[in-house]
Amino acid sequence: AAAESAADTSAGLAADVAADTATDAARENPQTSVKGRLFSESSLAGRLAGLVPSSENPANGRSTAAQPTEPQPSAPTEPQPSAPTEPQPSAPTQPAAAPPATTQVVVVGLVSVASIASFKRHLGRTPGVETVAVSSGPESEFVFSTTHEPGLALRDVVPTLPGFGARVVKATDDTLNVTARDPEAEA
């Protein structure tokens, strides 16, 4: 029984060594299977590199090494007097773009989900408006937080939104209070 147990242990040990050897070999030569075919990583990398155009092997198939080049003008043989170097004026820089403005459009009179979504959609499609987020206010109003270009006057835009009969009742630098009628409630 002891001999049988030693043989089982020896066989198990040999299987473990074989598995470790196979794992080590896989680490040294990793392979990738593509459509059932095994490729070594270096072979696969070589195939992929052949697909990417480079200056030596452009996509049009013509090597740049064999192409004729334009003759370069020869340099003057006489030394030219050099002008004293003065610092060159730097190119004018573009003014930094102004950060977007944010205006809270507080609307009273919208009651249906469809009309709130429609108001938000119309406001968001206004040229110069970047984003619109809506939340409900404490007194049955809806707050449309609007991010827009700094020069856009929302107090002039909101009354032109179709179907709401919107009217600005109060305006500050960052808040518009608006009354509107709900087109869904009238239908």
Side-chain angles (χ1 to χ4, degrees):
E4 224 174 87
S5 176
D8 288 341
T9 302
S10 176
L13 184 59
D16 288 343
V17 169
D20 288 344
T21 303
T23 302
D24 291 341
R27 282 188 192 128
E28 291 172 11
N29 187 16
Q31 295 185 339
T32 301
S33 174
V34 177
K35 292 186 179 182
R37 295 179 57 196
L38 289 177
F39 295 96
S40 71
E41 293 294 327
S42 60
S43 171
L44 188 58
R47 287 175 179 244
L48 291 175
L51 297 175
V52 178
S54 67
S55 60
E56 291 82 32
N57 186 17
N60 64 8
R62 298 182 194 148
S63 174
T64 56
Q67 296 201 7
T69 59
E70 293 289 321
Q72 299 295 324
S74 61
T77 56
E78 293 182 24
Q80 299 292 324
S82 62
T85 58
E86 294 180 17
Q88 297 294 325
S90 62
T93 58
Q94 293 284 10
T102 302
T103 302
Q104 304 294 318
V105 180
V106 181
V107 182
V108 176
L110 301 177
V111 293
S112 72
V113 172
S115 66
I116 296 163
S118 180
F119 190 91
K120 178 183 177 193
R121 183 173 51 253
H122 286 296
L123 190 57
R125 289 182 179 168
T126 301
V129 172
E130 295 174 12
T131 62
V132 178
V134 64
S135 60
S136 60
E139 298 179 22
S140 300
E141 74 262 8
F142 291 92
V143 180
F144 295 85
S145 298
T146 309
T147 304
H148 55 88
E149 294 175 356
L152 181 63
L154 285 179
R155 73 178 137 272
D156 298 332
V157 172
V158 170
T160 67
L161 298 179
F164 296 98
R167 189 171 53 94
V168 177
V169 293
K170 182 180 176 186
T172 64
D173 288 343
D174 60 354
T175 305
L176 292 179
N177 290 82
V178 177
T179 60
R181 60 181 166 75
D182 192 324
E184 297 292 318
E186 294 176 6

